[in-house]
Amino acid sequence: MHVKITDVAEKAGVSIATVSLALNGNEKINIRTRRHVAAVAKEMGYRPNPSAKRLASRKSRQIGLVLPDIENIYYAALAQDTLNELRMSDYALIISSSMNSRQMERRIVSDMIGNQVEGLMIAPVEKPNDNIEYLDALNDAGIPYVFVTASYPDLEHPCVMCDLYGGMKQLLTRLYDRGLRRMALLSGAQNVHCFDLRDGAFMDFCAEKGLEGCRVYHLDGIRYDDSFNHVQSMALEGLDGILCVNDMMALGAINALKARSLRVPEDIAVAGYDDSIFSRISPVPITTVRQDVRRMAVSAASWMLDCVRGNAPDPENLRLIPCEVQLRRSTER
Amino acid sequence: MHVKITDVAEKAGVSIATVSLALNGNEKINIRTRRHVAAVAKEMGYRPNPSAKRLASRKSRQIGLVLPDIENIYYAALAQDTLNELRMSDYALIISSSMNSRQMERRIVSDMIGNQVEGLMIAPVEKPNDNIEYLDALNDAGIPYVFVTASYPDLEHPCVMCDLYGGMKQLLTRLYDRGLRRMALLSGAQNVHCFDLRDGAFMDFCAEKGLEGCRVYHLDGIRYDDSFNHVQSMALEGLDGILCVNDMMALGAINALKARSLRVPEDIAVAGYDDSIFSRISPVPITTVRQDVRRMAVSAASWMLDCVRGNAPDPENLRLIPCEVQLRRSTER
DNA sequence: ATGAAAGCGCTAACAC
DNA sequence: GTGTTAGCGCTTTCAT
């Protein structure tokens, strides 16, 4: 609609090919010509038409990011960090959120393919194996993808996630050292990867230490109310600690315990996961496991960039970001 | 890279023009031909190349959304709702976040222009008048824009926001009816529209009722710590209520008061704003003002759509979404 | 109602 | 080093 490459070419006294090459920093063009063209282009306020560029080069210069829920602070942080990481590249990020619906997720992936993204970063809603359907479509279209916050050991595809299993193990070790012996884990649905990993760590640890009376509760939801309601009515006898798969749930547990006139941490310890704002705004600061979302995002984004740029792919297909325990008052005995 | 319009045309035994028109539902094409072409296209798995489409039609079919901070739950909700609202349209949404940096915001707007979005939805970082610089660029490029969570009475441009002033007035009325007479408002920086409105409502109300000893504190930040720290050291004598411009701050105030051995609401009432999750997870449920983010997003998105589609523009240039007080325990006397 | 053909603005051989 | 030119895959008059 505005000044185009022919205008720049005319004004600079060169051909459009030269303008194109010069503006793209092609070494074959004399450095002086390059500078001259750049100056003219700038002066004229020339902005290459992205659609024409994409069409001619057969490259969309777009990367998609599919999130389960952008209103979840954890994924929002992932989005922001990915945005930042890609900002310096010449790729644009298209963000979408499936509202935790697998069906919506499929539609989004399909739309992304239709939109011809060059690569896709996916934080899947649920179980690994449910994605197979759209992975075929992705493979057919030749679109590289990397999974974030998920790992698919069987798949030969990049996965980046925080070491949930290791983080839970570390947390348990610290709590064990502090004398806790009978703990309950408030987790989410079974067969959901991010919960399974922590459930597994919990059970493995209890088995290793020969702890009796520890148990895992699979709640339907993982929000504040879900844990609040559960803790309000659960059997607490003999329990000395309640662990939750996120901080908001830990806060729910604390408030429910308070409602039952139990003190945290004196009567019972509580721990969360993520090190989100909720662990800090609690009346009793909550011990939690810090996930380094930024590092995960940076790792995933740069891997994605390597993929779309055809750089030597990582020999590994899983990048595990270590977690770190944050001991706070909710577990002091 | 795959099946293209010529392939479909060949297989369907028609010209590419017919395929194009048929697929776009042009009435001039015989309904039977249309159906036939659609069937063939579907069978072949034809996906129009978006870049070619955009180039030929000189339309990008893209709308941009510029947020100050996508990690803020309020804006994340705005993003999700806008995404949902545009999903059924044939426009794609490009989301970006400036991390509360005006400079970044300018860059993003510039990038959006370069990317040739057809319209822009902007939730500006700060003061209205600082945006003038990029508004010129937008006007030059002929790109329609609507402001969300902001209003610029002087500008002849669409603005959609919640009625912050009215919401604060309502809240004050309810608290006044409950007997509160000396209140403090914990607000953000001055000259920031969304704070100014509430500051103004607060001061107007106090003047109307002849309330003495009410005051506004302009904190540097508006997060949990900012209010927690402030309340920890502020003078509380004679105060019967503390209002905050968001729920997280209200929670900070409550926890700080508790640390000072003051009871909420018995000794002092506390209220927040937004009706976010924080007002519900508080040990004392917090009275707050509900902003209907969804309605705001829907209104802004459909207005945006009207603009880019060239529909009869709204005669008004401001859409105010009413707020609603949510009375909870933190203000029971 | 359908087809032929001229672009849309740019990239990338290939020729000079 | 720089210019010529043939596309990229689609939309859109304008004929027929």
Side-chain angles (χ1 to χ4, degrees):
Chain A
M1 349 265 199
H2 252 156
V3 29
K4 40 203 200 187
I5 200 168
T6 47
D7 302 327
V8 178
E10 189 175 357
K11 184 137 182 182
V14 295
S15 75
I16 64 164
T18 303
V19 174
S20 174
L21 293 172
L23 257 24
N24 289 321
N26 191 309
E27 304 271 327
K28 306 213 154 202
I29 302 297
N30 188 312
I31 181 69
R32 298 187 54 207
T33 319
R34 260 187 279 166
R35 278 209 261 270
H36 176 228
V37 170
V40 172
K42 178 162 195 180
E43 179 197 331
M44 300 180 76
Y46 169 65
R47 304 243 206 182
N49 179 319
S51 302
K53 241 182 140 127
R54 295 199 247 257
L55 178 58
S57 65
R58 282 174 231 66
K59 300 219 167 101
S60 73
R61 288 304 89 143
Q62 290 185 153
I63 284 173
L65 174 64
V66 188
L67 266 19
D69 179 13
I70 199 165
E71 297 188 51
N72 178 321
I73 191 157
Y74 180 79
Y75 294 111
L78 179 59
Q80 178 67 69
D81 292 337
T82 307
L83 228 28
N84 289 346
E85 187 60 17
L86 291 185
R87 184 146 280 147
M88 297 312 299
S89 77
D90 48 351
Y91 283 85
L93 188 69
I94 312 292
I95 302 169
S96 202
S97 161
S98 66
M99 302 174 76
N100 286 308
S101 149
R102 299 227 289 287
Q103 189 189 332
M104 188 77 253
E105 181 174 290
R106 281 196 294 273
R107 231 201 98 174
I108 290 173
V109 171
S110 171
D111 287 351
M112 291 276 187
I113 295 175
N115 194 42
Q116 296 193 201
V117 293
E118 280 185 57
L120 207 48
M121 299 173 65
I122 309 171
V125 171
E126 288 198 355
K127 323 184 202 170
N129 296 330
D130 286 335
N131 298 317
I132 301 303
E133 7 183 344
Y134 64 62
L135 295 193
D136 288 343
L138 247 16
N139 291 330
D140 288 352
I143 297 175
Y145 48 90
V146 349
F147 282 100
V148 210
T149 70
S151 77
Y152 296 53
D154 300 341
L155 250 55
E156 283 301 316
H157 267 281
C159 297
V160 183
M161 75 179 304
C162 291
D163 184 12
L164 265 18
Y165 182 94
M168 182 56 90
K169 269 287 184 81
Q170 272 184 60
L171 173 64
L172 287 162
T173 304
R174 305 294 287 272
L175 298 184
Y176 184 87
D177 291 347
R178 280 180 148 57
L180 299 194
R181 291 296 180 274
R182 295 196 57 170
M183 297 172 272
L185 173 62
L186 268 41
S187 187
Q190 297 192 59
N191 291 322
V192 176
H193 200 49
C194 70
F195 303 138
D196 287 349
L197 284 166
R198 286 175 282 191
D199 299 351
F202 185 83
M203 294 188 298
D204 288 353
F205 186 88
C206 292
E208 286 163 20
K209 298 291 184 184
L211 264 28
E212 307 268 323
C214 287
R215 53 166 308 192
V216 178
Y217 293 91
H218 300 284
L219 309 197
D220 291 335
I222 55 161
R223 288 161 316 158
Y224 179 84
D225 292 333
D226 299 307
S227 94
F228 183 89
N229 294 336
H230 185 83
V231 172
Q232 233 175 0
S233 59
M234 80 187 265
L236 258 22
E237 299 86 72
L239 228 51
D240 49 21
I242 296 181
L243 313 195
C244 301
V245 290
N246 64 237
D247 297 325
M248 222 163 62
M249 290 176 73
L251 189 48
I254 288 178
N255 286 344
L257 289 170
K258 199 166 296 177
R260 294 180 67 170
S261 303
L262 287 165
R263 295 164 305 163
V264 175
E266 294 80 358
D267 299 324
I268 191 162
V270 172
Y273 215 105
D274 291 352
D275 193 20
S276 64
I277 181 74
F278 299 97
S279 65
R280 269 163 281 133
I281 64 172
S282 165
V284 184
I286 303 173
T287 288
T288 188
V289 180
R290 175 162 158 62
Q291 292 199 52
D292 196 337
V293 177
R294 177 165 311 266
R295 206 170 134 195
M296 179 173 63
V298 169
S299 177
S302 63
W303 204 348
M304 180 84 267
L305 248 17
D306 284 344
C307 290
V308 299
R309 286 174 175 155
N311 291 0
D314 210 301
E316 288 298 320
N317 68 345
L318 173 61
R319 256 128 87 153
L320 224 43
I321 311 295
C323 285
E324 193 185 331
V325 176
Q326 299 285 328
L327 246 21
R328 292 204 262 256
R329 199 141 55 76
S330 70
T331 56
E332 292 299 327
R333 303 310 298 273
Chain B
M1 349 277 199
H2 252 158
V3 29
K4 41 204 197 189
I5 200 169
T6 48
D7 303 326
V8 178
E10 190 174 357
K11 185 138 181 180
V14 294
S15 75
I16 64 165
T18 303
V19 173
S20 174
L21 293 172
L23 256 24
N24 289 320
N26 191 310
E27 303 273 325
K28 309 214 153 201
I29 301 296
N30 188 312
I31 180 68
R32 298 187 52 207
T33 320
R34 261 188 278 164
R35 278 209 261 271
H36 177 228
V37 170
V40 172
K42 177 161 195 181
E43 178 198 331
M44 299 179 77
Y46 169 66
R47 306 242 205 181
N49 180 318
S51 302
K53 242 184 140 123
R54 295 198 247 258
L55 178 58
S57 65
R58 284 173 230 64
K59 301 220 169 97
S60 72
R61 279 330 65 152
Q62 291 185 153
I63 284 173
L65 174 64
V66 188
L67 266 20
D69 179 14
I70 197 163
E71 297 187 51
N72 178 320
I73 193 159
Y74 180 79
Y75 294 111
L78 179 59
Q80 178 68 68
D81 292 337
T82 307
L83 228 27
N84 290 346
E85 187 60 16
L86 291 184
R87 183 146 285 149
M88 296 312 298
S89 77
D90 48 350
Y91 283 85
L93 187 69
I94 312 292
I95 302 167
S96 201
S97 162
S98 67
M99 303 173 78
N100 286 308
S101 149
R102 299 229 288 288
Q103 190 188 330
M104 189 77 251
E105 182 174 289
R106 282 196 294 274
R107 230 200 98 178
I108 290 173
V109 171
S110 172
D111 287 350
M112 291 277 187
I113 295 175
N115 194 43
Q116 297 193 198
V117 292
E118 281 184 57
L120 207 48
M121 299 173 65
I122 309 172
V125 172
E126 287 198 0
K127 320 184 203 171
N129 297 329
D130 286 336
N131 298 317
I132 301 302
E133 8 182 344
Y134 64 63
L135 295 193
D136 287 342
L138 245 18
N139 291 329
D140 288 352
I143 298 175
Y145 48 89
V146 351
F147 282 100
V148 209
T149 71
S151 77
Y152 297 52
D154 300 341
L155 250 55
E156 283 301 315
H157 268 280
C159 296
V160 182
M161 75 179 303
C162 292
D163 183 11
L164 265 18
Y165 182 95
M168 181 56 90
K169 269 285 185 81
Q170 274 185 61
L171 173 64
L172 287 162
T173 304
R174 305 295 287 271
L175 298 184
Y176 183 88
D177 290 347
R178 280 181 150 54
L180 299 194
R181 291 296 180 273
R182 296 196 55 169
M183 298 172 272
L185 172 62
L186 268 41
S187 187
Q190 298 192 60
N191 291 322
V192 175
H193 200 48
C194 68
F195 302 137
D196 286 350
L197 284 167
R198 286 174 283 192
D199 298 351
F202 185 82
M203 293 189 298
D204 288 355
F205 186 88
C206 293
E208 287 162 20
K209 298 291 183 184
L211 265 27
E212 308 268 322
C214 288
R215 59 166 303 194
V216 178
Y217 293 91
H218 299 284
L219 309 197
D220 291 336
I222 55 159
R223 287 161 316 157
Y224 179 84
D225 292 333
D226 299 308
S227 96
F228 183 88
N229 294 334
H230 185 83
V231 172
Q232 235 175 359
S233 58
M234 81 187 266
L236 259 20
E237 300 86 70
L239 228 50
D240 49 21
I242 296 180
L243 313 194
C244 301
V245 290
N246 65 236
D247 298 326
M248 221 165 63
M249 289 175 75
L251 189 49
I254 289 178
N255 286 343
L257 289 169
K258 198 166 294 178
R260 291 179 69 169
S261 302
L262 287 164
R263 294 165 306 162
V264 175
E266 294 81 359
D267 298 324
I268 190 162
V270 173
Y273 215 105
D274 291 352
D275 193 21
S276 65
I277 179 76
F278 298 98
S279 65
R280 270 162 280 133
I281 63 172
S282 165
V284 184
I286 303 172
T287 288
T288 187
V289 181
R290 175 163 158 62
Q291 292 200 51
D292 197 337
V293 177
R294 178 166 310 267
R295 206 170 135 197
M296 178 174 63
V298 168
S299 177
S302 62
W303 204 348
M304 180 84 269
L305 248 18
D306 284 344
C307 290
V308 299
R309 286 173 176 157
N311 291 1
D314 210 303
E316 288 297 321
N317 68 345
L318 172 60
R319 256 129 86 156
L320 224 42
I321 311 294
C323 285
E324 192 185 331
V325 175
Q326 300 285 328
L327 246 21
R328 292 204 262 256
R329 198 141 55 77
S330 70
T331 55
E332 293 298 328
R333 300 312 295 273

